[in-house]
Amino acid sequence: MTDPRRRLPAVDALLAEPGVAPLLAEHPRALVVKAVREAVDQARAHGGTVPVEGWDAAVRAAVARLTVPSLAPVINATGVVLHTNLGRAPLAPAAIAALTRVAAGYSALEYDLGRGARGSRHAHCRDLLVELTGAADALVVNNAAGAVLLALSALARGGDAIVSRGELVEIGGSFRIPDIMARSGAQLVEVGTTNRTHRKDYESALGDGTRVLLKVHRSNFEVRGFTTDVPVAELAELAHARGVACLYDLGSGLLLDLGKWGLSGEPTVREAVASGADVVAFSGDKLLGGPQAGILVGTTEAIAACRADPLARTVRADKLTLAALEATLALYRDPDVARREIPVLRMLTEDLEGVKRRAEALKKGMGDAELVEGESEVGGGSFPGAKLKTWLVAVWHPETGNLVAKLRANDPPIIARIADGRVVLDPRTIFPDQIDTVRAALTADG
Ligand SMILES: *Cc1c(COP(=O)(O)O)cnc(C)c1O
């Protein structure tokens, strides 16, 4: 008996098939060859049988799969505003325009147009950050984890950095503050306990080797009950009395007070700077609502040390990031404009009536759906525990898993979730111009 797998067609033979050959006119040969190989491999994996849909269709499907970019835009129907798996902050139109303008050609990235000589990429967002945060100087790098690594390297390498055991946080993707600190060359000295750390704990750990007192904002969890920690202002004062620096890993980078919209408990960057920390580190793509970036603001001396550290080069920000960040920051000069134009702020502060109107538009014409009250999440390790009232569209379906998978397979993919045996979609994170697309996907047959 011959193994049926030996009867699989050769790649060249398939390429010459009348249903396959025309693909070579539309796509690079390497891509079509790869698609043919995939189709043959799949047939082999299925016991060497001819694909049920036929060879032509199998190859065409493989070509289609290979030509779709893997980093595709999706519609976020989860209601989690800062969804790290979905790319965190959508950008403001001004930020998109700025990065597009810079992307197409050359730019004055490290060129001083006034002097006609070499300039610094660090100059671009610096003045805006100084203006918006009250700090003396600023430095933008690739992301906040990199910013913390750089600041620790610059301020504490070869010495001790003292941190409370209640602030040894994991920030997602298994990134742990203690691990980052170890890589910076600073020795981590833990003080206090998980729930309580006092000023005297820092005082007794302070020694000749101490270089930094580190404060880490508990951005993604809350501790309640029998707890104490030392406010950053007090920690900064203690650090300065002992001749060491105070570094504050703030996490989110809130530039506007959102207390009026029921979001409180997250310090603004300006407050963090005013507390006296030498350096404050935060993200560009969390509450700030800009591109992925890590931002350091602080004293002239401390920021200069960060800029001069060899690690600064390894975490430097890209020109597209700098362009988008500069444009996003400029919007903050008028808080109303920032709230209107920056999608993260707009979604977080949208009134319930607006969300409900979109929920109703989404539900229109759907028999087996209803509006239910629910909660959106800020996400992205910001405002832990904060809940935003919302209106969800809840859809009954005999196979909720199938409906969620169908939505995910839509073009563009729609990410929804299942709750209480129903598929739920939160219009807070669905943009107005996406409502029709989502409704069409929900009501499509199949
Ligand atoms: C999110 C976060 C970081 C890391 O920020 P990235 O921009 O993801 O690198 C660091 N520290 C804290 C406290 C955070 O919340």
Side-chain angles (χ1 to χ4, degrees), residues 30-304:
L31 183 132
V32 183
V33 170
K34 186 167 176 176
V36 166
R37 290 222 167 92
E38 278 192 9
V40 173
D41 286 348
Q42 232 168 34
R44 185 172 296 121
H46 286 96
T49 51
V50 173
V52 280
E53 69 274 35
W55 283 112
D56 295 357
V59 173
R60 280 179 185 279
V63 165
R65 264 198 313 277
L66 290 170
T67 46
V68 181
S70 68
L71 181 49
V74 304
I75 293 176
N76 176 8
T78 66
V80 180
V81 176
L82 290 166
H83 199 306
T84 296
N85 301 149
L86 302 183
R88 285 196 187 156
L91 293 179
I96 296 163
L99 75 83
T100 307
R101 206 161 54 229
V102 158
Y106 298 103
S107 60
L109 178 63
E110 293 185 356
Y111 193 80
D112 185 329
L113 291 170
R115 293 187 304 124
R118 191 196 154 100
S120 166
R121 78 173 59 216
H122 300 315
H124 298 293
C125 297
R126 186 195 160 275
D127 291 351
L128 270 166
L129 283 166
V130 164
E131 179 186 322
L132 295 169
T133 69
D137 201 356
L139 175 63
V140 179
V141 298
N142 182 63
N143 68 334
V148 172
L149 175 73
L150 173 61
L152 281 169
S153 171
L155 304 177
R157 176 176 290 270
D160 295 344
I162 302 177
V163 64
S164 160
R165 288 197 174 90
E167 297 170 11
L168 294 175
V169 305
E170 177 172 309
I171 52 178
S174 8
F175 249 110
R176 292 180 167 170
I177 290 296
D179 298 339
I180 296 176
M181 294 185 61
R183 291 299 164 108
S184 72
Q187 181 74 37
L188 180 66
V189 177
E190 299 172 17
V191 297
T193 60
T194 312
N195 58 329
R196 284 165 74 86
T197 302
H198 306 271
R199 181 187 174 106
K200 64 175 189 299
D201 294 321
Y202 291 95
E203 281 173 340
S204 43
L206 265 156
D208 290 344
T210 307
R211 303 280 306 280
V212 158
L213 301 188
L214 172 67
K215 180 84 181 167
V216 183
H217 179 54
R218 293 185 187 118
S219 51
N220 52 8
F221 69 106
E222 290 178 294
V223 285
R224 291 168 192 271
F226 188 53
T227 65
T228 306
D229 66 349
V230 180
V232 66
E234 199 177 329
L235 208 59
E237 180 214 302
L238 175 61
H240 298 153
R242 305 291 281 268
V244 304
C246 176
L247 167 60
Y248 189 6
D249 176 7
L250 184 60
S252 210
L254 179 65
L255 290 178
L256 276 189
D257 185 351
L258 299 181
K260 245 199 282 179
W261 292 274
L263 291 167
S264 52
E266 185 86 28
T268 64
V269 178
R270 190 172 270 283
E271 286 164 351
V273 169
S275 70
D278 297 81
V279 174
V280 178
F282 55 97
S283 275
D285 57 351
K286 290 184 180 172
L287 288 172
L288 194 152
Q292 179 190 301
I295 300 168
L296 295 167
V297 297
T299 63
T300 308
E301 199 187 1
I303 296 296

Side-chain angles (χ1 to χ4, degrees), residues 342-383:
I342 298 173
V344 166
L345 298 181
R346 189 176 62 230
M347 288 187 270
L348 289 176
T349 62
E350 182 175 12
D351 62 29
L352 198 53
E353 280 313 301
V355 179
K356 190 173 187 182
R357 272 195 298 278
R358 279 208 304 296
E360 279 161 352
L362 191 56
K363 188 189 143 316
K364 209 185 286 166
M366 289 185 50
D368 38 12
E370 62 170 332
L371 298 199
V372 294
E373 281 184 298
E375 281 166 344
S376 312
E377 262 182 67
V378 181
S382 312
F383 291 111

